[in-house]
Amino acid sequence: MGKKDAAGVSSDTQPLLEKSSTKKRLSFDLTDHVAKRQRIEERTDHTRWRMRDDKGRQSWVYLEDDQALQDWPQSFADKYFLGLPVNAPDLPKPTNPLDAVRNGLEFFEKLQLPSGHWGCEYGGPMFLLPCIVIAWYVTKTPIPWYYATEIKNYLFARANPEDGGWGLHIEGETSVFGTSLNYTVLRIVGVDADHPVMVKARATLHKMGGATHAPHWAKWWLAVMGVAQWDIVNPTPPELWLLPDWVPIAPWRWWIHIRQVFLPMSYLWSKRWQAEETELIRSLRQELFVEDWAKINWASHRNTINPRDNYHPKTWVLNTVNWCLVNIWNPVLRTQAIAKKGEEWAMKLIEMENENTDHADLATVSGPMNTVCLYVKEGPDSYAVRRHRERAHEFLWMKDEGLLANGTNGVQCWDTAFAIQAVMDAGLTEDPRWRPMLMKALEFLDDQQIRENVKDQDKCYRQQRKGGWAFSNKDQGYAVSDCVSEALKSVIILQKTPGFPTLIDDRRIFDAIDTLLTYQNPSGGCSSYEPPRAGTWMEVLNAAEVFGNIMVEYEYPECTTAVVTALSLFRKHWPEYRTKEIERFIERAVKWIKTAQKPHGGWYGSWGICFTYATMFALESLASIGETYKNSDYAKRGCDFLISKQREDGGWSEHYRACETGEYIEHPSGSQVVMTAWAVIALMKADYPNLEHIKKGIKLIMDRQQSNGEWLQEAIEGVFNKSCMISYPNYKFTFTLKALGMFARKYPNETVV
């Protein structure tokens, strides 16, 4: 039966096979488990982990061979990411903000990876890792013991200390979504059902109603595993993809992430495919449900959901549509021919997504789902399945707590652009000390610019992207309005700085502008991946339950400002290119920014927390056309809003629940260095006249800086779809450096310390 280590987990060597044990604490019989098990240890040796950077493709490697360990020394960045001692020297105590910038750059420079970008974890959501691990399990993909071990460690570390469950994200309260899926992951990687962590989590899950009370996405994954039956999953017919483009609800009109998730969901729902039954699957049928599994009326639980998971309750419209699909369309009108045609077109769209991303796919939910679809269609040894397995490693991140899954395959282009701009804002781009670092960053952005539109762009419903940059890297290849804008600004800044070469010529700059000009909506605002293709009324069909604002694109102050500032910088250097269009674009965009201001004076943020983040961008937009505190009521109200939230210590502290509720909420832990940076940047952009408020914020940022130049991680910074938080750990460098540098240049004679 194998041994258990001090953590109570098995140490057998067979990969990806289920656990057995004596289940003393369980009221059901699990004695029929086989003896084969996933190998898992108490922990790995963190000195053996390495970050591989292959031109912006990030993956973590564990070196089991001692010779390999000697040949590939651990870097400063490796040690930092893993929470190992980096032994960075103490630096002279800064006497002014510019000294603090230099100290920060001394540390941050060491985190630059060989290809020129800055990497970091992009975790937070607790449903990402289950997508990868469950896909591995059902496709019989071996899980290395060191992955299994550190997945276990991460989930143990992130279990709620009070009830033992897991939430939608790392700072969220326990949910059925997070608990049912992460419990399943722990069983897959080899943790016994009678381990104390599992006993506690299972008790909490049962108190919340068990897996029948999970949201739609969890039910879908459990049905794919065969832990639940397909009747518990609300219908996702692939024939929706056959609707003519003019139909208002046609899937091509949906937001890119939901349509890429719906695509593989619909394929497997139609196939009603389930993994080969194993002892683990039979055991999970007993562990995850309160009811007797054999007697569950699966169809009656399609709409059963725990209130904690029900952030966006299904509307009566969606419930009516689902009833019609279940009771009329499926049994009466849906022919095999229609179903087959829908499946074939869905698979064709999946194949086009693979071709356009080299099987990386859009993100960490759709990619593993597509892996399973291809496994079903082509078998385990096809090129597509093998390539998906290879690329899955790029979505994993190793840290001190263990192995997690990132929201995408990284934040490479995004963070690199902000790093360059932070140096610019401090006036240090011409300083020879930082030229090698900046040169590598410029070379990275040069390499990562997307040079062509996707093949069959219209056929697969993709937005123009030529000349753009992705959030992560060019392999993923989805241009985003603000990612294009921030990268373009950084390129222009450096290439117009004496001593830097022109790596990206005018034609490529113009390509980026041509793409940016496609992002404006009729309202004047800008969205993220593409202009909205349907109205917000489409949210009546939101079936995800745990997310808001997920069905279509929206306008965002953050994205709009990024495009406005990029176009403003561009026209200073190329005033003759598409002059009237750019002028009109900026005018309309800033007008929209004004309409998006809330009655309290702030702006709602959709990608960072929350009003603090978006208000920074909005005030920058206004400043770009000369509107500041002294001459603009919009700017004045924005500044007054921020000042009203400043704490006694000079900082700002907004809690993630502001994103959920739409109301500013103070963070109970006190001032946050990143939010303080956002606020003082905003005030400086708007020329706020009372300098003492800004100085207090700058002083807090300087006081939080460590003696080696770094800042420590505080609360989570990012958000998407209103309810799910996500980490941007490099923000504690890029925005703090930006704030300090701006202050140093704007107020060179002011004393802070």
Side-chain angles (χ1 to χ4, degrees), residues 35 43 161 268 293 299 301 491 497 502 518 530 535 537 580 644 679 731:
R43 69 186 308 274
L268 290 182
W293 191 88
H301 286 293
V491 167
T497 297
T502 299
T518 69
E530 57 205 13
W537 57 265
K580 294 295 184 182
S644 74
Y731 281 5

Side-chain angles (χ1 to χ4, degrees), residues 125-299:
M126 292 302 296
F127 57 88
L128 302 175
L129 192 57
C131 295
I132 294 174
V133 175
I134 294 174
W136 281 341
Y137 188 81
V138 301
T139 60
K140 302 180 180 179
T141 302
I143 303 176
W145 71 268
Y146 40 87
Y147 273 13
T149 296
E150 294 300 346
I151 287 170
K152 176 260 299 180
N153 289 341
Y154 180 75
L155 292 181
F156 277 16
R158 284 298 175 178
N160 186 299
E162 295 180 4
D163 60 34
W166 294 269
L168 178 66
H169 56 87
I170 56 174
E171 293 190 12
E173 62 183 357
T174 294
S175 66
V176 177
F177 190 22
T179 304
S180 61
L181 290 185
N182 287 296
Y183 181 99
T184 299
V185 167
L186 285 169
R187 295 291 282 118
I188 288 172
V189 300
V191 182
D192 279 333
D194 64 354
H195 187 284
V197 170
M198 307 300 278
V199 172
K200 187 175 183 180
R202 189 167 60 249
T204 293
L205 176 62
H206 288 185
K207 287 177 184 177
M208 293 189 293
T212 56
H213 288 62
H216 177 76
W217 288 17
K219 288 172 177 171
W220 185 89
W221 274 115
L222 294 177
V224 168
M225 280 192 74
V227 173
Q229 295 292 2
W230 275 109
D231 284 345
I232 201 173
V233 181
N234 269 310
T236 54
E239 49 269 27
L240 279 176
W241 290 99
L242 303 177
L243 290 172
D245 286 352
W246 57 263
V247 175
I249 64 168
W252 76 276
R253 299 179 182 274
W254 303 354
W255 185 47
I256 183 65
H257 279 278
I258 193 63
R259 71 175 185 257
Q260 287 297 343
V261 168
F262 177 81
L263 187 59
M265 271 190 170
S266 68
Y267 182 84
L268 290 182
W269 174 86
S270 185
K271 292 285 189 183
R272 297 178 79 86
W273 182 87
Q274 293 187 310
E276 179 183 344
E277 186 175 293
T278 64
E279 294 299 330
L280 174 59
I281 288 171
R282 285 193 286 270
S283 181
L284 285 170
R285 290 171 180 172
Q286 299 178 65
E287 295 169 42
L288 295 179
F289 297 94
V290 176
E291 307 90 339
D292 182 341
W293 191 88
K295 296 178 181 179
I296 294 175
N297 182 344
W298 299 100

Side-chain angles (χ1 to χ4, degrees), residues 364-514:
T364 320
V365 177
S366 58
M369 289 179 171
N370 287 341
T371 304
V372 181
C373 292
L374 293 159
Y375 177 88
V376 172
K377 178 181 180 286
E378 301 179 3
D381 298 322
S382 70
Y383 172 80
V385 173
R386 288 185 285 112
R387 187 63 177 142
H388 264 277
R389 286 168 169 160
E390 293 169 355
R391 305 229 64 166
H393 302 288
E394 297 172 36
F395 292 82
L396 299 171
W397 189 267
M398 183 63 194
K399 59 179 297 187
D400 54 343
E401 294 174 316
L403 191 70
L404 58 90
N406 283 336
T408 62
N409 59 337
V411 293
Q412 296 90 313
C413 291
W414 180 249
D415 277 352
T416 300
F418 280 131
I420 292 170
Q421 291 175 40
V423 180
M424 181 276 293
D425 282 307
L428 297 176
T429 51
E430 294 189 58
D431 187 334
R433 169 66 184 84
W434 310 113
R435 182 156 295 175
M437 175 186 77
L438 293 173
M439 191 65 225
K440 287 173 61 180
L442 177 60
E443 290 170 347
F444 177 77
L445 292 181
D446 169 39
D447 179 66
Q448 292 299 316
Q449 188 183 27
I450 301 167
R451 306 293 289 274
E452 299 294 340
N453 289 318
V454 300
K455 181 181 177 182
D456 297 322
Q457 175 178 306
D458 294 334
K459 192 175 182 180
C460 57
Y461 314 116
R462 287 286 297 273
Q463 173 76 2
Q464 177 178 323
R465 68 173 193 174
K466 184 178 181 181
W469 282 267
F471 181 70
S472 57
N473 59 29
K474 65 183 179 183
D475 283 3
Q476 190 258 11
Y478 276 86
V480 189
S481 63
D482 54 355
C483 299
V484 178
S485 299
E486 301 298 350
L488 179 62
K489 285 191 290 184
S490 299
V491 167
I492 294 173
I493 287 165
L494 288 184
Q495 293 194 164
K496 296 301 180 180
T497 297
F500 283 89
T502 299
L503 301 182
I504 298 180
D505 62 27
D506 285 2
R507 181 62 261 170
R508 290 168 61 189
I509 296 287
F510 296 162
D511 287 342
I513 294 298
D514 293 343

Side-chain angles (χ1 to χ4, degrees), residues 323-337:
W323 186 93
C324 292
L325 289 172
V326 169
N327 295 287
I328 301 174
W329 176 251
N330 290 346
V332 180
L333 301 178
R334 189 178 194 247
T335 66
Q336 287 187 352

